[in-house]
Amino acid sequence: MISRSYTNLLDLASGNFLGQPNGHKRLPRVMTVAGVISELDDDQANSVASDVQSSVIQDRIIIVANQLPVKAKRRPDNKGWSFSWDDDSLLLQLKDGLPEDMEVLYVGSLKVDVDPSEQDDVSQLLLDRFKCVPAFLPPDVLTKFYHGFCKQHLWPLFHYMLPFSANHGCRFDRSMWEAYVAANKIFYQRVIEVINPEDDYVWIHDYHLMVLPTFLRRRFNRLRMGFFLHSPFPSSEIYRTSPVREEILKALLNSDLIGFHTFDYARHFLSCCSRMLGLDYQSKRGYIGLEYYGRTIGIKIMPVGIHMGQIQSALRLADKEWRVGELKQQFEGKTVLLGVDDMDVFKGVNLKLLAMEQMLKQHPKWQGRAVLVQITNPARGRGKDLEEIEVEIQASCKRINDTFGQPGYEPIVFIDRPVSISERVAYYTIAECVVVTAVRDGMNLTPYEYIVCRQGVTESDSSSESSAPKKSMLVVSEFIGCSPSLSGAIRVNPWNIEATAEAMSDAISMADAEKQLRHEKHYRYVSSHDVAYWSRSFFQDMERTCKDHFRRRCWGIGLSFGFRVVALDPNFRKLSIDHIVSVYLRSKNRAILLDYDGTIMPQTSHNKTPSAEVISIINTVSGDPKNTVFVVSGRGKDSLSKWFSPCKKLGIAAEHGYFVRWSGSDEWEVCGQNSGFGWKEMAEPVMQLYTETTDGSSIESKESALVWHHRDADPVFGSSQAKEMLDHLESVLANEPVAVKAGQFIVEVKPQGVSKGLVAEKIFTTMSEKGKQADFVLCIGDDRSDEEMFEIISSAISSGILSSKTNVFACTVGQKPSKAKYYLDDPAEVLLMLEGLAEASDPEPFTESESEGNL
């Protein structure tokens, strides 16, 4: 049954929302065509190639964000628009880090409403002059998309604010989610108008467009695509409260590279993928990768930087305008602390004011001397919470100034108007300390800008002031993205007013030599890790992550936001039943090795007893005198021999090959080292200890092995405990003849020399020694232990146990990376294939004289 969060997503993905006409095509339920996916949407084109061809033969990048990096202004005569670059836009600044010869296109919306009659002309103008493609959102979609879902659901959620009551925060509204999907689809339609999918890179920015990767991947399954989240990503306990949590995660996973400012944000994302989607990540040579249906999605951790040139230009301008001099005169004899924040409930502005008040109380020496200049940019959002914060801030400013103010001295200078960059830079220049007390912030570049301004213009200057040692101090919240990179700052918990007040006093009281050392350390980092460094690093990782795109074979599968691309090695293909049956008929000595759980029997089945159909098929195949058929399983010999008792000529390798029986009438052989099981008395207490401390775990005792299961435990804690147990057991059993191995949700201790690979080698060797060298090998399994069988086949051919002419069908169950060259989708297809072999088999009636088995 489909969950409520998937309700009407087929309609959404097809464009049927918000009362729009219902004449679009619907998304096919499943795509199984190999290669590049063609038309899945309601667009005119029938191919992945765009009608718009690149003007030059070179790599090109399309940067997609909610807003274009341009300013729009109505002409004085009210006829048309004039446009200019927005130099403050990060999207424009990041070009400095991209290759010089790379063409850059922008797709995004404008900050102004453009009449529908003017939209075509504006689009052409922006494309011709600015290489920008505007996405025009209908007013009803824009309101619910931006002010609704983005600002009332995603923004609070990502900043750890839940709507516990209707008075505080906005409860999830499905119509807002539908508008969010609708808006993302409009952005997608603008992208495909200009994209060359074989040549272009696409870089998507921020939480406004988190489902856009699914739209693009569905249309172009080899597209090179990155996504960067500029806000925090919350812990799984917070994120999982979203009714559309899985849709957003799966959409992001259609990107090739996902970027975050800090390891904490990335860790939270990976934890959500683990807990909600069952995905694990690996770190190889410094790169974090998330395996998802054969694709490796890169996880990039790199905080954004500032544009050094822009800040230094603003410094020169502020100096020319004498603004710095004016401020120095205004605050002469005073120690200035500075705050620069947006008017936002998460910026902690009032916490900063309360800390300033506390500092003046705790340290009276600063009364009349210390001034907090608080610049507050206009609010981007709206709502009751914001109004309450504004009233609270105004009340705090008035109270503090009334209490501690003196003639010619106000401890709080509150500026709540738009401030130009040159004026902001002037304040940075004269401030002894910058204070950031945000309770949650994705990055916050205020400290970076301050450090560069305190360093001054880098050009040579003979003035004594320019040659004086540079110094700066920072008091920053530990909950902002830039905090980890500023090791010389005083980090505070902004909720602790007393500690923040003490930190502010310490910062402005610190010796100049110490301030200078901290400033130098920070400046080295900020100047070398600028916005160009960030964009260059992200793009290089995107190139590395996408380098194998055109080498792999891809399938698009799934519906709506469950869509994903399965990427496989070009030599990895689906096993054709007709092909294997034709080879089977031509063969004389066949070796057939079958795993049980997940191969013949579905993993999800509670009743693990094989059906009458399974018994009949295997009995027929094993009854052919040309066949040597084995079930090779990790299960115990008693259950396997009981289940397959009707199959008299079937071989069984139980407990991964520790016990082997060649036919129903043969005795069980022990293939491992039979040196006793005294080690169990050492291993079991260790496993018991971890079982008692890990809820949902259990111990399975086999004749030859002990297995600790943690499938039902907390995913993160269970995995952590498994790693700890592995080390513990290896230490305890170091001198015992056993192997300790971790598998899928298990830790297993078993005798050395026991594996499915060794069973396969033994079967091939025995057949060869009896003059029946296999000319046909079929080996099927679904998990890590079966990979040992696939691996041994290659070495058996090179050692001569198998002929180089042997027809080998190593087959895994499920489309996933494997040492096998073939795959079948599920146990049902395995049975269908075995049924085809059974129909082609020629079983002989079983007699007592044949009781020695197939060989």
Side-chain angles (χ1 to χ4, degrees):
M1 182 177 179
I2 298 177
S3 68
R4 264 193 63 83
S5 60
Y6 278 88
T7 304
N8 294 331
L9 285 181
L10 279 172
D11 288 338
L12 294 181
S14 303
N16 303 329
F17 33 68
L18 302 175
Q20 291 190 7
N22 216 4
H24 303 299
K25 296 180 186 175
R26 285 182 173 247
L27 174 68
R29 296 184 71 82
V30 179
M31 292 300 300
T32 55
V33 181
V36 180
I37 302 299
S38 59
E39 184 59 53
L40 297 186
D41 261 300
D42 57 340
D43 308 290
Q44 297 286 329
N46 292 315
S47 165
V48 295
S50 169
D51 294 334
V52 181
Q53 297 299 318
S54 178
S55 58
V56 287
I57 303 173
Q58 63 182 39
D59 278 340
R60 188 173 67 165
I61 189 166
I62 299 174
I63 295 173
V64 193
N66 180 44
Q67 291 185 337
L68 291 170
V70 294
K71 296 177 181 177
K73 191 167 60 174
R74 197 74 179 168
R75 287 178 181 164
D77 59 4
N78 207 32
K79 294 180 180 179
W81 297 85
S82 61
F83 298 94
S84 60
W85 286 114
D86 181 0
D87 293 329
D88 294 337
S89 173
L90 174 69
L91 305 180
L92 188 63
Q93 295 169 1
L94 66 79
K95 288 176 64 174
D96 290 359
L98 300 175
E100 287 185 12
D101 60 345
M102 174 165 273
E103 184 181 359
V104 180
L105 263 68
Y106 294 99
V107 176
S109 63
L110 292 167
K111 297 178 184 178
V112 295
D113 292 328
V114 177
D115 189 87
S117 64
E118 299 178 299
Q119 289 178 1
D120 287 344
D121 292 339
V122 167
S123 295
Q124 195 62 49
L125 174 68
L126 286 172
L127 182 61
D128 293 343
R129 296 188 184 176
F130 297 89
K131 293 186 178 178
C132 289
V133 180
F136 299 108
L137 303 181
D140 55 338
V141 173
L142 175 63
T143 300
K144 288 190 173 184
F145 156 66
Y146 183 75
H147 295 292
F149 195 76
C150 288
K151 286 300 179 184
Q152 295 185 37
H153 181 73
L154 288 179
W155 181 254
L157 179 75
F158 282 14
H159 289 74
Y160 290 73
M161 181 175 166
L162 297 177
F164 289 114
S165 71
N167 293 330
H168 291 279
C170 178
R171 298 276 168 82
F172 177 79
D173 183 335
R174 189 157 297 276
S175 68
M176 291 182 181
W177 163 244
E178 291 172 358
Y180 183 80
V181 175
N184 275 248
K185 186 178 175 69
I186 292 170
F187 280 87
Y188 152 76
Q189 289 167 337
R190 299 317 306 263
V191 171
I192 65 173
E193 289 176 10
V194 293
I195 196 169
N196 292 311
E198 301 293 315
D199 302 321
D200 293 348
Y201 291 88
V202 176
W203 187 356
I204 302 167
H205 289 264
D206 223 4
Y207 63 94
H208 313 89
L209 302 173
M210 288 196 295
V211 300
L212 179 58
T214 286
F215 284 110
L216 289 170
R217 185 68 68 196
R218 236 185 18 229
R219 180 72 180 271
F220 312 113
N221 65 2
R222 285 192 177 93
L223 183 64
R224 298 174 291 187
M225 178 165 46
F227 179 93
F228 196 93
L229 183 67
H230 293 273
S231 77
F233 195 92
S235 66
S236 61
E237 286 76 13
I238 298 293
Y239 179 77
R240 71 201 304 179
T241 63
S242 173
V244 289
R245 59 191 189 183
E246 291 184 4
E247 288 88 331
I248 290 174
L249 281 183
K250 289 176 179 178
L252 288 175
L253 291 173
N254 277 312
S255 305
D256 296 300
L257 182 67
I258 305 173
F260 301 91
H261 285 307
T262 73
F263 174 69
D264 269 355
Y265 304 160
R267 178 169 57 87
H268 293 155
F269 174 77
L270 293 169
S271 175
C272 289
C273 290
S274 172
R275 292 177 180 277
M276 293 166 212
L277 304 179
L279 303 178
D280 291 325
Y281 72 92
Q282 290 183 330
S283 182
K284 293 181 179 177
R285 296 184 178 179
Y287 296 109
I288 299 174
L290 193 64
E291 291 296 325
Y292 187 59
Y293 290 94
R295 295 169 53 237
T296 300
I297 296 142
I299 303 297
K300 177 72 173 174
I301 301 166
M302 175 62 68
V304 71
I306 61 172
H307 193 279
M308 295 290 291
Q310 184 196 33
I311 299 297
Q312 291 181 348
S313 296
L315 271 169
R316 296 187 191 96
L317 183 61
D319 201 36
K320 284 179 183 176
E321 292 178 348
W322 301 99
R323 187 65 179 138
V324 175
E326 289 176 8
L327 291 177
K328 284 182 177 179
Q329 185 176 356
Q330 179 182 346
F331 295 106
E332 187 177 4
K334 305 292 190 295
T335 299
V336 177
L337 296 96
L338 177 65
V340 180
D341 303 277
D342 293 336
M343 178 57 77
D344 190 303
V345 295
F346 302 110
K347 300 301 183 184
V349 174
N350 198 51
L351 295 176
K352 189 187 307 180
L353 297 174
L354 295 176
M356 180 67 179
E357 182 179 33
Q358 186 68 24
M359 185 188 83
L360 295 175
K361 288 178 182 177
Q362 286 180 347
H363 303 278
K365 66 178 181 179
W366 292 116
Q367 294 179 19
R369 294 170 55 200
V371 177
L372 173 62
V373 177
Q374 177 60 51
I375 298 173
T376 306
N377 302 317
R380 297 182 193 176
R382 55 197 182 202
K384 183 179 178 182
D385 290 337
L386 198 57
E387 292 169 5
E388 291 176 355
I389 287 289
E390 289 175 334
V391 170
E392 191 178 337
I393 289 171
Q394 293 291 349
S396 294
C397 290
K398 184 176 186 306
R399 183 183 67 252
I400 296 169
N401 284 336
D402 288 348
T403 304
F404 299 101
Q406 303 169 10
Y409 167 73
E410 280 192 337
I412 306 293
V413 176
F414 188 71
I415 302 171
D416 60 346
R417 58 174 170 77
V419 173
S420 67
I421 186 170
S422 60
E423 186 177 0
R424 188 168 82 239
V425 161
Y427 275 105
Y428 284 143
T429 304
I430 60 104
E432 279 296 309
C433 176
V434 154
V435 185
V436 182
T437 54
V439 296
R440 192 70 60 179
D441 205 350
M443 186 59 193
N444 200 311
L445 294 174
T446 296
Y448 287 13
E449 293 178 349
Y450 167 64
I451 290 161
V452 174
C453 291
R454 291 291 285 182
Q455 180 69 19
V457 180
T458 55
E459 294 171 356
S460 59
D461 192 328
S462 58
S463 68
S464 59
E465 185 176 336
S466 176
S467 59
K470 310 298 183 183
K471 60 185 190 294
S472 63
M473 272 309 297
L474 292 166
V475 175
V476 299
S477 164
E478 62 190 59
F479 303 121
I480 63 175
C482 67
S483 175
S485 59
L486 297 171
S487 56
I490 301 177
R491 297 191 183 102
V492 295
N493 172 4
W495 298 103
N496 189 333
I497 304 298
E498 291 79 7
T500 305
E502 202 61 42
M504 291 164 64
S505 176
D506 290 346
I508 55 180
S509 304
M510 191 174 290
D512 284 353
E514 179 66 18
K515 290 181 182 179
Q516 183 183 342
L517 287 172
R518 294 184 184 223
H519 171 80
E520 289 172 354
K521 183 177 185 180
H522 287 158
Y523 183 74
R524 280 195 301 272
Y525 176 84
V526 172
S527 60
S528 60
H529 291 70
D530 61 356
V531 67
Y533 179 89
W534 169 76
S535 62
R536 186 183 310 114
S537 179
F538 188 90
F539 180 72
Q540 287 172 350
D541 271 21
M542 187 155 59
E543 280 186 311
R544 177 186 55 80
T545 306
C546 300
K547 68 180 185 300
D548 291 334
H549 266 33
F550 298 99
R551 190 183 68 83
R552 291 179 174 270
R553 302 173 75 222
C554 298
W555 280 262
I557 62 173
L559 56 89
S560 192
F561 288 105
F563 178 86
R564 66 270 186 197
V565 167
V566 177
L568 304 170
D569 188 276
N571 296 320
F572 188 64
R573 55 191 181 275
K574 190 163 186 175
L575 183 58
S576 165
I577 296 178
D578 291 340
H579 175 57
I580 192 173
V581 168
S582 67
V583 177
Y584 180 86
L585 287 169
R586 297 195 303 267
S587 306
K588 295 180 180 179
N589 295 305
R590 311 177 188 119
I592 301 174
L593 282 62
L594 307 172
D595 174 42
Y596 186 70
D597 290 286
T599 301
I600 299 172
M601 176 62 61
Q603 290 280 14
T604 54
S605 176
H606 292 288
N607 182 9
K608 297 296 184 180
T609 305
S611 65
E613 180 190 11
V614 171
I615 295 295
S616 174
I617 291 171
I618 291 180
N619 196 26
T620 303
V621 175
S622 61
D624 191 319
K626 295 179 181 178
N627 294 349
T628 299
V629 183
F630 266 81
V631 169
V632 185
S633 173
R635 287 190 171 271
K637 61 184 176 67
D638 292 340
S639 55
L640 290 173
S641 59
K642 177 183 176 183
W643 291 341
F644 291 103
S645 58
C647 305
K648 302 299 182 183
K649 291 192 175 183
L650 175 67
I652 296 176
E655 299 192 16
H656 296 297
Y658 184 81
F659 296 107
V660 175
R661 189 180 72 182
W662 289 85
S663 71
S665 58
D666 286 340
E667 296 295 323
W668 288 98
E669 301 174 15
V670 176
C671 295
Q673 296 180 12
N674 193 4
S675 55
F677 297 99
W679 54 266
K680 282 190 174 183
E681 297 177 3
M682 303 166 65
E684 193 161 12
V686 175
M687 287 189 171
Q688 191 62 44
L689 172 67
Y690 286 86
T691 303
E692 291 171 358
T693 57
T694 312
D695 190 35
S697 65
S698 61
I699 301 172
E700 178 189 1
S701 182
K702 302 179 182 179
E703 287 188 54
S704 68
L706 286 173
V707 186
W708 186 72
H709 296 269
H710 61 93
R711 181 181 292 274
D712 296 328
D714 177 271
V716 177
F717 185 57
S719 177
S720 172
Q721 290 288 80
K723 290 175 183 175
E724 186 68 28
M725 179 193 286
L726 191 70
D727 291 340
H728 196 161
L729 288 171
E730 285 177 342
S731 175
V732 169
L733 301 173
N735 298 320
E736 298 296 320
V738 295
V740 185
K741 290 189 175 182
Q744 192 171 20
F745 300 110
I746 66 164
V747 174
E748 184 173 23
V749 184
K750 60 184 179 182
Q752 289 177 349
V754 175
S755 73
K756 289 187 177 183
L758 294 175
V759 171
E761 186 176 39
K762 181 179 176 67
I763 293 169
F764 300 149
T765 302
T766 304
M767 291 178 69
S768 182
E769 289 173 350
K770 296 202 175 188
K772 294 187 176 183
Q773 187 181 54
D775 58 359
F776 174 98
V777 172
L778 170 62
C779 183
I780 311 180
D782 76 307
D783 65 16
R784 191 180 301 176
S785 64
D786 300 305
E787 295 293 319
E788 297 170 346
M789 291 196 291
F790 305 149
E791 194 171 12
I792 208 71
I793 292 172
S794 298
S795 61
I797 292 173
S798 60
S799 64
I801 298 172
L802 293 176
S803 167
S804 59
K805 296 181 180 179
T806 300
N807 292 295
V808 175
F809 297 91
C811 179
T812 189
V813 180
Q815 298 179 28
K816 58 180 182 288
S818 172
K819 294 184 176 71
K821 290 188 177 180
Y822 297 92
Y823 74 90
L824 291 170
D825 286 325
D826 51 39
E829 286 199 350
V830 174
L831 289 180
L832 195 64
M833 183 272 299
L834 290 176
E835 189 175 15
L837 298 186
E839 291 173 358
S841 298
D842 184 21
E844 288 184 352
F846 180 78
T847 64
E848 290 298 325
S849 61
E850 296 172 314
S851 62
E852 289 187 6
N854 295 335
L855 296 180

